[in-house]
Amino acid sequence: MQSLSAPASVAASSLTDLWDRVFGTQPAPEQWLVVVTGVVALAVILPHRLWVISRNAITIAHEGGHGLVALLSGRKLEGIRLHSDTSGLTVSRGKPHGIGMILTAAAGYTAPPLLGLGGAWLLAAHHITALLWLATALLLVMLVMIRNAYGAVTMIITGGAFLLISWLANPDVQAAFAYVVVWFLLLGGVRPAFELQAKRRRGGAPDSDADQLSRLTHVPAALWFFLFHAVSIASLLGGGRWLLGW
């Protein structure tokens, strides 16, 4: 009897250990590390040469937001494309109007800061490993919907980094990585809407998310930009307070 039950006991113990590892809490990092990770995130957002590379991560969150809300609103997600100029395209099938289409269109620019806000909440609750595993799972699911080579390579590199850090890195490295990612989403989520406004003033981006929303709702695009800015700035303020423990 003991020999037969031993494997089951070992398996149950392993599952318990895995559950504790993922959903348990980890020690909060030192305050200096929280500040330094915020500075690091800002350092890859402000310089233009670094931003044209790091912005790909914001595009992943942007297009992922479109795709997730499309599915939640009952639309059929056809695929996602990520481009080397940091633009992206999410194609879904369904009614070309109505609340589902409106929510899908509005999800892009609001997704990165809201993801950052959710990540800040998890970090404030000391769920560092859970954050990394959840992010890895979302990236792997999104990879299935990618429909171009550049997008697939980008997702494999990004998802691979999260997978390696969450599985192999020590707790200090995991904490530093998680805080950099969340700071990046919060800080980097503010910039794209301002860039889009500047591009529209120069006559570009005639079919932007704000313009699509304006046509769908008959609400001026300026009000949709106000929404994008309000969500990103409020998320930065709220998420920053959680991260800093204020």
Side-chain angles (χ1 to χ4, degrees):
M1 291 295 292
Q2 290 180 348
S3 60
L4 290 175
S5 62
S9 177
V10 171
S13 177
S14 299
L15 288 175
T16 301
D17 291 342
L18 180 62
W19 179 271
D20 291 339
R21 177 183 175 186
V22 176
F23 297 103
T25 59
Q26 292 76 43
E30 298 290 339
Q31 186 75 2
W32 67 266
L33 180 63
V34 177
V35 175
V36 168
T37 53
V39 173
V40 170
L42 201 59
V44 298
I45 292 170
L46 292 181
H48 177 72
R49 289 185 177 181
L50 293 178
W51 175 242
V52 296
I53 299 173
S54 63
R55 196 183 191 280
N56 283 283
I58 295 295
T59 302
I60 290 173
H62 179 113
E63 299 304 330
H66 282 313
L68 178 61
V69 174
L71 290 173
L72 293 176
S73 62
R75 300 179 62 81
K76 181 179 180 182
L77 183 60
E78 296 289 325
I80 299 172
R81 301 175 71 89
L82 305 174
H83 304 136
S84 58
D85 62 355
T86 71
S87 65
L89 176 66
T90 299
V91 178
S92 61
R93 181 182 299 175
K95 293 192 300 182
H97 52 79
I99 188 63
M101 187 64 194
I102 294 170
L103 292 175
T104 299
Y109 282 94
T110 56
L114 289 177
L115 286 172
L117 183 64
W121 177 78
L122 283 173
L123 293 181
H126 311 307
H127 290 294
I128 297 172
T129 303
L131 168 67
L132 294 175
W133 280 50
L134 178 60
T136 302
L138 290 174
L139 289 168
L140 291 175
V141 170
M142 186 175 171
L143 174 61
V144 177
M145 300 307 302
I146 296 295
R147 296 294 182 264
N148 66 322
Y150 179 83
V153 171
T154 301
M155 292 300 302
I156 290 171
I157 293 174
T158 306
F162 272 85
L163 186 62
L164 289 174
I165 294 293
S166 61
W167 272 100
L168 302 178
N170 63 52
D172 292 335
V173 173
Q174 288 188 357
F177 181 76
Y179 272 83
V180 168
V181 168
V182 171
W183 273 122
F184 179 81
L185 289 171
L186 291 171
L187 294 165
V190 175
R191 184 167 178 174
F194 285 103
E195 290 181 329
L196 179 59
Q197 278 187 299
K199 190 173 183 179
R200 289 178 77 254
R201 283 195 294 268
R202 297 192 298 268
D207 200 35
S208 69
D209 290 359
D211 293 292
Q212 292 182 44
L213 286 163
S214 180
R215 290 192 293 270
L216 286 167
T217 62
H218 306 291
V219 173
L223 291 182
W224 287 106
F225 275 110
F226 176 80
L227 173 67
F228 298 158
H229 293 317
V231 170
S232 63
I233 293 172
S235 296
L236 174 58
L237 294 175
R241 284 173 59 89
W242 276 335
L243 293 176
L244 294 169
W246 292 348

